[in-house]
Amino acid sequence: MYKIDGEDRWILFVIGVAFATFLACKFSRYFGLSRDVAGVVFSWMAVLAVVTRLCSTLKGDFPRLRPSKTWPFLLALLWMCWWPALDFWAGQSMAPSPGQAQALPWWGPWYARWGVLAGIVALGSLARKILRHR
């Protein structure tokens, strides 16, 4: 069996970067985002995946990091990862027309995003408490 040593690790790094770039391009095309916005969303979701894995790994040492306790907050962070895409889509839906003010979609204003975020955390925490008592 082939063993990867220090001299061959750069090959794995290049393959990993190429694969991540390919996924980001497909992600951009699938959701209809520009590449820079898709890169930001994709990067934040990768950070969220690392945080989720870290919570799962450390759940034995830190009981408050168990997935059963953190999922409402992780779900709220997932919602926040998509905010740059929501900005992009809101900008795309507002076609410029002379002399007429365009209304933002429901997700456009800051208070709608923060309201949904608070709702995710509140409803998720309530559901966690209800399911814990059963």
Side-chain angles (χ1 to χ4, degrees):
M1 182 165 193
Y2 182 72
K3 182 179 176 186
I4 298 173
D5 57 3
E7 295 177 2
D8 294 338
R9 290 193 181 194
W10 69 272
I11 295 171
L12 286 178
F13 179 75
V14 169
I15 291 171
V17 168
F19 185 67
T21 305
F22 172 75
L23 284 178
C25 288
K26 289 295 185 180
F27 183 83
S28 170
R29 187 173 296 142
Y30 183 77
F31 287 107
L33 299 170
S34 67
R35 289 186 192 232
D36 56 341
V37 172
V40 171
V41 173
F42 192 73
S43 299
W44 279 112
M45 288 180 57
V47 169
L48 179 62
V50 169
V51 168
T52 304
R53 176 67 180 162
L54 190 63
C55 287
S56 178
T57 303
L58 297 176
K59 67 184 176 188
D61 297 331
F62 302 100
R64 290 182 183 245
L65 292 180
R66 287 193 177 119
S68 62
K69 293 186 178 187
T70 59
W71 70 265
F73 301 104
L74 294 174
L75 193 60
L77 288 175
L78 179 65
W79 167 250
M80 289 179 73
C81 287
W82 283 93
W83 284 5
L86 294 176
D87 285 337
F88 181 80
W89 290 325
Q92 294 290 330
S93 68
M94 293 180 54
S97 59
Q100 199 173 30
Q102 295 288 329
L104 286 173
W106 70 268
W107 67 80
W110 65 270
Y111 52 84
R113 292 186 193 167
W114 284 99
V116 171
L117 182 75
I120 289 171
V121 171
L123 291 175
S125 297
L126 180 66
R128 186 175 57 87
K129 287 182 181 185
I130 289 172
L131 294 174
R132 183 179 52 178
H133 287 300
R134 284 188 176 192

